[in-house]
Amino acid sequence: ETGVFKYYSEEEWKKSSSGKTVGIVNPTTRKTQFKVQACSQAEVNKVMEIAKIAQKAWAKTPLWKRAELLHKAAAILKEHKSPIADCLVKEIAKPAKDSVTEVVRSGDLISYCAEEGVRILGQGTFLVSDSFPGNERTKYCLTSKIPLGVVLAIPPFNYPVNLAVSKIAPALIAGNSLVLKPPTQGAVSCLHMVHCFHLAGFPKGLISCVTGKGSEIGDFLTMHPGVNCISFTGGDTGISISKKAGMIPLQMELGGKDACIVLEDADLDLAAANIVKGGLSYSGQRCTAVKIVLVMESVADALMEKVNAKVAKLTVGPPEDNCDITPVVSESSANFIEGLVMDAKEKGATFCQPYKREGNLIWPLLLDNVRPDMRIAWEEPFGPVLPVVRIGSVEEGIHHCNASNFGLQGCIFTKDINKAMIISDAMETGTVQINSAPARGPDHFPFQGIKDSGIGSQGITNSINMMVKVKSTVINLP
Ligand code: G3H
């Protein structure tokens, strides 16, 4: 049975006056699982209008009260972990256990954000004028952090709940109002999560969730004059949003082509475990997934043997059965992945496993002896396919990593910390992990990409600071 879900505005669940809906296809069954409202531009205008009004009152709500409501929402979200996880399983084919983890992690993120918010927003600075040449001590400057206004949050399909709350919670604690545009796959999970905020009792109009087609309301939302900040996670759409957006703060987390450099002295068991987990968990559909292995030729055979032994143990099937590898999010995504695989095949990559696909389900595949002329050496499959390039020197590895348009994270496996630090300095990425796979969490760590991987820095503290502006009041003495 196909459930039809309403959108959320003014503390109410509403049907769109467009009379249209958008179908959400279950990646496993490839049948329409849910339908959500196709909101109109007029409905977006209305949501923006009420968000602006609600924000003014919210900014005056004491910080501790804002925090209290967030803690309440976090607790309710955790209570609802099972039904929300069920939605994630059906909408995005995330393995059942990982779906529960996503919801629990989101509750923890909201609580941490509330605690961090009361600390960092509870402090301002005090400056005196006579430290700058030519000034007497006649000016006292007091600064505080004020909200930006209306924050537009656009999370991606792969973490519809977690990457929504990582935007919602900092925005709200900082005194902003929030308009959420969920991804189509993941929209119902998002609506359920918003329901938890609703139950927590946030004021009317402070949070809205509009669903619909990107082609109808995407640009309209991101270019809307009522939006004072955009926090987006996703693919290249983020680049076009950045070009079209007005003069407002942007937080963008886009793609990645995270390299894993394995040196001759690496613990190969550790490296292999991290390559498999880092590259293939959630079927490689993570921006921080290991997306290319750059291994020193002398240890490549030994590493590949260990990696392939682990790949052979991965279970492949439906998310309900907690399989390691589950169907990728859509048929077009599976087709794109297949295109990269075929290109690598034509150009002579070594297939460590046979290529196998049934519907959206693609079996895990390691491609050895990948060369720079293959698309998969540079493009992100966002699927369970991992290319391996054999390198003759560390410099070659660093060069490959830095030649990418992306610069999200990278990782190095070596027992020599001095070497690791030198390589880390040389890698043009927002984060380098030493002896572990790339990952965004723990969620209070700074998280940022350079080049086409993004704008700004996330992580709880950075997101709160990004969603405020410094306001100065200067007392001038006679
Ligand atoms: O897909 C992008 C996410 O920000 C990655 O988060 O490292 O927790 O999987 P993760």
Side-chain angles (χ1 to χ4, degrees):
E1 196 195 330
T2 309
V4 183
F5 290 81
K6 295 176 179 165
Y7 78 101
Y8 184 69
S9 162
E10 294 178 286
E11 270 189 324
E12 281 172 29
W13 298 95
K14 298 180 180 172
K15 268 190 171 176
S16 169
S17 56
S18 74
K20 291 186 209 146
T21 56
V22 181
I24 299 167
V25 176
N26 180 324
T28 313
T29 62
R30 296 198 287 159
K31 295 208 170 88
T32 302
Q33 181 80 46
F34 302 124
K35 285 181 181 165
V36 291
Q37 305 299 312
C39 290
S40 65
Q41 296 187 349
E43 280 153 350
V44 168
N45 279 337
K46 179 72 188 158
V47 151
M48 289 298 169
E49 198 184 300
I50 58 156
K52 190 172 178 176
I53 297 165
Q55 190 271 326
K56 301 276 180 234
W58 180 242
K60 293 197 180 89
T61 305
L63 193 46
W64 66 266
K65 274 197 187 169
R66 289 185 225 154
E68 205 172 72
L69 279 172
L70 282 168
H71 280 302
K72 212 168 158 191
I76 297 171
L77 185 68
K78 285 188 179 181
E79 281 165 22
H80 287 233
K81 67 180 181 207
S82 300
I84 298 178
D86 285 348
C87 289
L88 289 169
V89 167
K90 293 190 179 105
E91 287 189 285
I92 63 163
K94 185 170 276 198
K97 258 197 214 149
D98 297 347
S99 295
V100 173
T101 306
E102 173 170 347
V103 183
V104 173
R105 173 182 179 182
S106 302
D108 290 338
L109 191 156
I110 298 170
S111 298
Y112 193 107
C113 196
E115 287 164 17
E116 187 75 347
V118 291
R119 305 281 171 264
I120 63 177
L121 299 166
Q123 287 176 7
T125 56
F126 172 61
L127 295 89
V128 289
S129 50
D130 62 339
S131 54
F132 199 86
N135 284 273
E136 299 300 318
R137 201 181 179 89
T138 52
K139 290 173 187 288
Y140 295 157
C141 178
L142 304 165
T143 73
S144 62
K145 289 169 181 162
I146 57 165
L148 298 175
V150 180
V151 174
L152 173 64
I154 309 181
F157 82 82
N158 63 346
Y159 285 95
V161 175
N162 185 261
L163 284 171
V165 303
S166 75
K167 304 170 191 315
I168 297 171
L172 295 183
I173 192 69
N176 299 288
S177 58
L178 197 287
V179 175
L180 175 67
K181 163 65 180 74
T184 297
Q185 307 281 145
V188 176
S189 310
C190 268
L191 288 167
H192 202 136
M193 174 270 298
V194 168
H195 180 58
C196 299
F197 280 83
H198 171 82
L199 293 175
F202 282 88
K204 189 171 175 172
L206 189 70
I207 304 168
S208 314
C209 182
V210 284
T211 52
K213 289 203 173 102
S215 55
E216 174 71 14
I217 56 167
D219 278 355
F220 192 74
L221 271 165
T222 54
M223 293 165 77
H224 200 285
V227 172
N228 304 111
C229 168
I230 302 175
S231 179
F232 173 93
T233 306
D236 336 338
T237 318
I239 298 178
S240 58
I241 292 176
S242 309
K243 287 182 181 152
K244 291 185 211 159
M247 205 176 69
I248 53 171
L250 300 177
Q251 187 179 48
M252 297 273 157
E253 190 225 312
L254 313 181
K257 186 71 183 169
D258 294 7
C260 171
I261 303 182
V262 183
L263 303 193
E264 284 164 322
D265 70 341
D267 176 338
L268 295 183
D269 288 308
L270 181 70
N274 276 276
I275 288 167
V276 173
K277 188 163 183 281
L280 301 172
S281 56
Y282 188 37
S283 306
Q285 298 173 107
R286 295 165 54 237
C287 56
T288 48
V290 169
K291 295 209 180 93
I292 188 155
V293 176
L294 304 162
V295 56
M296 289 294 285
E297 179 67 63
S298 56
V299 291
D301 285 343
L303 178 75
M304 291 311 288
E305 202 182 310
K306 290 177 191 292
V307 171
N308 285 320
K310 288 186 189 298
V311 169
K313 289 194 188 130
L314 295 176
T315 53
V316 182
E320 287 84 356
D321 295 351
N322 265 317
C323 289
D324 299 310
I325 304 294
T326 53
V328 297
V329 71
S330 64
E331 189 172 343
S332 64
S333 174
N335 291 344
F336 176 78
I337 297 162
E338 185 163 303
L340 292 180
V341 171
M342 292 311 147
D343 173 78
K345 188 174 189 179
E346 274 163 33
K347 292 174 182 158
T350 308
F351 279 53
C352 301
Q353 294 78 22
Y355 174 66
K356 190 174 168 195
R357 171 181 169 186
E358 273 171 22
N360 295 352
L361 186 61
I362 295 177
W363 269 250
L365 174 60
L366 265 285
L367 298 173
D368 200 351
N369 296 305
V370 164
R371 288 189 324 265
D373 64 323
M374 299 175 190
R375 285 175 55 203
I376 199 145
W378 307 105
E379 294 179 44
E380 44 169 0
F382 236 68
V385 178
L386 186 53
V388 178
V389 173
R390 293 172 176 235
I391 52 173
S393 67
V394 171
E395 290 68 33
E396 215 180 296
I398 295 170
H399 179 264
H400 190 108
C401 167
N402 293 349
S404 170
N405 290 337
F406 295 113
L408 190 57
Q409 294 207 357
C411 63
I412 311 160
F413 285 86
T414 173
K415 291 190 187 113
D416 185 337
I417 189 69
N418 298 325
K419 253 193 214 162
M421 288 308 299
I422 291 167
I423 299 169
S424 169
D425 280 351
M427 286 169 83
E428 293 165 2
T429 60
T431 301
V432 173
Q433 305 269 353
I434 298 170
N435 291 325
S436 188
R440 170 166 51 108
D443 290 336
H444 65 304
F445 279 15
F447 180 52
Q448 55 279 315
I450 57 175
K451 297 191 268 185
D452 285 354
S453 288
I455 301 176
S457 179
Q458 300 172 75
I460 290 169
T461 313
N462 285 343
S463 289
I464 296 172
N465 281 323
M466 183 264 172
M467 291 178 184
V468 291
K469 199 166 183 104
V470 172
K471 164 88 182 263
S472 302
T473 301
V474 182
I475 302 168
N476 290 276
L477 301 180

